[in-house]
C-alpha cells in the first residue's frame, strides 16, 4: 500500500528538504521577498522558513543570527543586481550603458524593493548603514568604471554619483508607478547627455578659438 502524496486532513504537510547550496540560495531569495513585502521588521527566521517552504531550523543552521541573514541577503542583492543591471557591460559604448534596466525591474521587483526598504530602515537603525554603504559602493564602482571607459576624460566621483542617482531614481519610480517605457525613454536621454560629454572630451581645444 503506497502513502498518498497529500497529507491527511488535519496534518500539516512536511517541510521539503534541501541540499546545502540549494537551501542557502532559496532562503536568501525568501528573505528578499519577506523584506520587500513587509519591511525589515517582518524578517524573522520563521517568516523566511515559511516563505521558502522549509524548516525554521534550516534557517538557523545556514545563518546563525538575524544580522548574518541580513548581511548575506544584502550581498545576494548586490550579486543579483550587478549581474542584471548592465551598469558595467565593459564595452565602453554609450549605447550599451544600462540596457535592460526596465526589464530587470519588471522581472524581479522584489530584489529592488528589498534594497529601498533597507535604505529607509537605515534611517532608524544606523547599524544597517555599513551594509548599505557596501551595497552602494559596489554600484558606484561599477558605474564609475564604465563611465571611465566611455568618457575620454574619465569620470570623477561626483559625476558617477549623479549618473547612478538618476538610474536609482528611475528604478524606484518604476517600482512605484510602473511604466517601463518611461524608464527606457529617460535612460536614452541620459545616454544622449553622456554622448555630449564624450564629444566635448574628444574635441580639439584649439578648434574652439
Amino acid at each position: 500500500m503506497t502513502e498518498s502524496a497529500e497529507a491527511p486532513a488535519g496534518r500539516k504537510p512536511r517541510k521539503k528538504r534541501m541540499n546545502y547550496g540549494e537551501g542557502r540560495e532559496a532562503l536568501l531569495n525568501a528573505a528578499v521577498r519577506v523584506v520587500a513585502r513587509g519591511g525589515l521588521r517582518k524578517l524573522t527566521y520563521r517568516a523566511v522558513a515559511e516563505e521558502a517552504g522549509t524548516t525554521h531550523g534550516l534557517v538557523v543552521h545556514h545563518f546563525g543570527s538575524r544580522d548574518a541573514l541580513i548581511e548575506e541577503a544584502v550581498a545576494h542583492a548586490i550579486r543579483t543586481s550587478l549581474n542584471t543591471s548592465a551598469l558595467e557591460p565593459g564595452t565602453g559604448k554609450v549605447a550599451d550603458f544600462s540596457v535592460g534596466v526596465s526589464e530587470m525591474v519588471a522581472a524581479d521587483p522584489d530584489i529592488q524593493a528589498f534594497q529601498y526598504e533597507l535604505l529607509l530602515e537605515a534611517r532608524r537603525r544606523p547599524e544597517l548603514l555599513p551594509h548599505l554603504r557596501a551595497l552602494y559602493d559596489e554600484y558606484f564602482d561599477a558605474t564609475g568604471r564604465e563611465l571611465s571607459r566611455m568618457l575620454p576624460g574619465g569620470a570623477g566621483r561626483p559625476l558617477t554619483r549623479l549618473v547612478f542617482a538618476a538610474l536609482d531614481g528611475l528604478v524606484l519610480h518604476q517600482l512605484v508607478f510602473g511604466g517601463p517605457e518611461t524608464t527606457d525613454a529617460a535612460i536614452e536621454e541620459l545616454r544622449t547627455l553622456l554622448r555630449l560629454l564624450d564629444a566635448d572630451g574628444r574635441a580639439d581645444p584649439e578648434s574652439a578659438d
Side-chain angles (χ1 to χ4, degrees):
M1 181 176 177
T2 59
E3 185 179 356
S4 170
E6 296 184 0
R11 185 190 302 174
K12 293 183 179 180
R14 289 184 300 175
K15 298 294 186 181
K16 60 187 178 184
R17 301 178 67 88
M18 304 174 183
N19 64 43
Y20 185 81
E22 178 190 20
R24 194 176 194 81
E25 187 78 7
L27 292 173
L28 289 172
N29 287 328
V32 165
R33 292 193 297 272
V34 168
V35 173
R37 289 201 300 262
L40 196 63
R41 67 187 182 280
K42 296 293 186 180
L43 185 66
T44 64
Y45 288 148
R46 198 165 303 282
V48 172
E50 183 176 342
E51 178 67 29
T54 188
T55 63
H56 171 276
L58 187 63
V59 186
V60 177
H61 169 72
H62 276 291
F63 302 105
S65 72
R66 186 171 180 269
D67 285 343
L69 175 59
I70 293 170
E71 185 173 347
E72 295 216 31
V74 170
H76 175 65
I78 292 171
R79 290 192 301 270
T80 303
S81 292
L82 287 176
N83 287 341
T84 58
S85 67
L87 277 177
E88 191 179 6
T91 65
K93 296 179 180 179
V94 176
D96 295 336
F97 184 63
S98 292
V99 168
V101 166
S102 63
E103 290 89 345
M104 173 195 73
V105 178
D108 194 357
D110 284 349
I111 202 78
Q112 309 303 324
F114 167 80
Q115 295 169 67
Y116 294 121
E117 287 288 346
L118 284 184
L119 283 171
L120 292 172
E121 189 66 27
R123 297 183 70 247
R124 297 179 289 271
R125 296 182 53 188
E127 67 271 19
L128 292 174
L129 285 174
H131 300 308
L132 272 300
R133 286 199 178 99
L135 171 66
Y136 273 78
D137 280 346
E138 291 279 354
Y139 291 146
F140 294 146
D141 289 347
T143 304
R145 286 191 298 267
E146 194 61 24
L147 288 174
S148 293
R149 293 185 185 101
M150 290 188 286
L151 304 176
R157 200 70 167 174
L159 177 60
T160 296
R161 284 179 175 268
L162 176 62
V163 170
F164 181 76
L167 295 170
D168 203 29
L170 290 171
V171 169
L172 177 59
H173 284 194
Q174 185 176 331
L175 276 174
V176 176
F177 303 115
E181 67 285 350
T182 302
T183 302
D184 292 338
I187 290 176
E188 186 52 46
E189 288 296 316
L190 177 60
R191 293 191 193 105
T192 298
L193 295 175
L194 291 174
R195 290 185 183 99
L196 291 174
L197 289 175
D198 185 5
D200 183 62
R202 294 178 192 278
D204 181 358
E206 295 183 359
S207 66
D209 293 340

